[in-house]
Amino acid sequence: MSTYLRTTRSHTYSLLFALPLLVLYELGAVLIADRGGTGMRNGADVLLRTMLAAGGVQGTLAFTAALALGAAVLVTWERRRTRVPLRGSYFGGMLAESAVYALLFGGLIATATHFLLGGFVRLAADGALTTLPLLDGIVLSLGAGIYEELLFRVLLTGGLLALLVWMGFRRTPAAAVAVIVSAFLFSAFHYVGPYAYPLELGSFTFRLLAGVAFSALYVWRGFGIAAWTHALYDVFLVIAGQG
């Protein structure tokens, strides 16, 4: 078990595990656009595209190629430093882990939100997902998994953690600060822009705690499992909302 946990946290496993999520989202986005769907894209996806467009990377193909190139560089660098064995059973274990975490997070976070705020509060009403056609909702869920985790976990949580450690902070308190700051920004992100949710204490707290859970999962288990957990959580929410 310790070998599995250590190995599957590597860049090699995380990025290879996340790759199908990226492909499914991009193919799904093209499909719902061609079929006259909403044509919507995940907000973190749009923000990252805007940032890269400022550097001259424009268009879906160029954007995806830039992500794939970055992933390939990281995997190649890691495999030159450490021999990481590739085992299919490990990827199956990572998918099972993600599904379990996705099923647990919703109830645990809702319970924690009620406990913190005391009594009944309105939680995160993700109507924008649950009221969409099923395919559109699933595609946007996959996009949330890959792009919100890339933006808020890899770039923000990981970047802030690395900066604090470089500044001399011990890893544990540095990780705690990185998790809390990124979780706050993750929650706030849902209340800005053209598709913003109405700001409510219950929903903000729920998303704040969700951000803490996803960020802590990223620090503990890596990007791949955090991305799939987020995606599957949203997919389960969409399917439940369609029932």
Side-chain angles (χ1 to χ4, degrees):
M1 180 58 71
S2 62
T3 301
Y4 164 79
L5 292 174
R6 182 179 64 256
T7 303
T8 52
R9 281 199 74 257
S10 66
H11 294 311
T12 300
Y13 273 87
S14 278
L15 294 172
L16 290 178
F17 185 51
L19 180 60
L21 193 57
L22 173 63
V23 173
L24 288 172
Y25 169 66
E26 293 297 345
L27 290 177
V30 172
L31 180 60
I32 62 176
D34 288 346
R35 292 176 58 182
T38 61
M40 294 173 61
R41 278 186 171 267
N42 175 263
D45 172 13
V46 174
L47 178 58
L48 286 171
R49 287 172 185 271
T50 302
M51 293 167 60
L52 286 180
V57 178
Q58 299 184 5
T60 297
L61 184 60
F63 180 67
T64 305
L67 293 180
L69 178 61
V73 168
L74 276 175
V75 170
T76 301
W77 171 78
E78 182 175 67
R79 291 181 67 80
R80 285 183 175 178
R81 293 179 65 244
T82 308
R83 196 169 190 84
V84 181
L86 293 178
R87 299 177 180 174
S89 60
Y90 279 11
F91 290 106
M94 294 169 76
L95 184 59
E97 264 194 271
S98 301
V100 170
Y101 298 145
L103 290 170
L104 289 176
F105 275 11
L108 291 175
I109 295 167
T111 300
T113 303
H114 282 299
F115 176 79
L116 287 175
L117 298 183
F120 175 80
V121 292
R122 184 175 178 179
L123 299 183
D126 289 315
L129 281 178
T130 56
T131 60
L132 286 172
L134 179 61
L135 180 60
D136 297 50
I138 289 175
V139 170
L140 288 178
S141 297
L142 300 179
I146 189 71
Y147 284 113
E148 289 185 11
E149 293 307 301
L150 180 59
L151 176 61
F152 290 102
R153 258 52 80 177
V154 176
L155 296 182
L156 189 54
T157 305
L160 184 55
L161 173 58
L163 175 63
L164 291 173
V165 170
W166 177 78
M167 291 173 61
F169 289 87
R170 297 177 61 181
R171 180 174 175 83
T172 298
V177 171
V179 164
I180 293 171
V181 170
S182 63
F184 180 86
L185 294 176
F186 168 73
S187 183
F189 179 74
H190 290 82
Y191 303 95
V192 296
Y195 300 108
Y197 292 93
L199 180 58
E200 298 172 333
L201 178 60
S203 64
F204 184 90
T205 304
F206 182 90
R207 291 192 175 94
L208 174 64
L209 295 178
V212 169
F214 287 129
S215 293
L217 183 62
Y218 163 73
V219 172
W220 177 48
R221 297 295 292 121
F223 169 62
I225 287 178
W228 271 100
T229 297
H230 191 159
L232 290 175
Y233 170 78
D234 282 1
V235 167
F236 294 157
L237 187 68
V238 168
I239 293 173
Q242 296 287 326

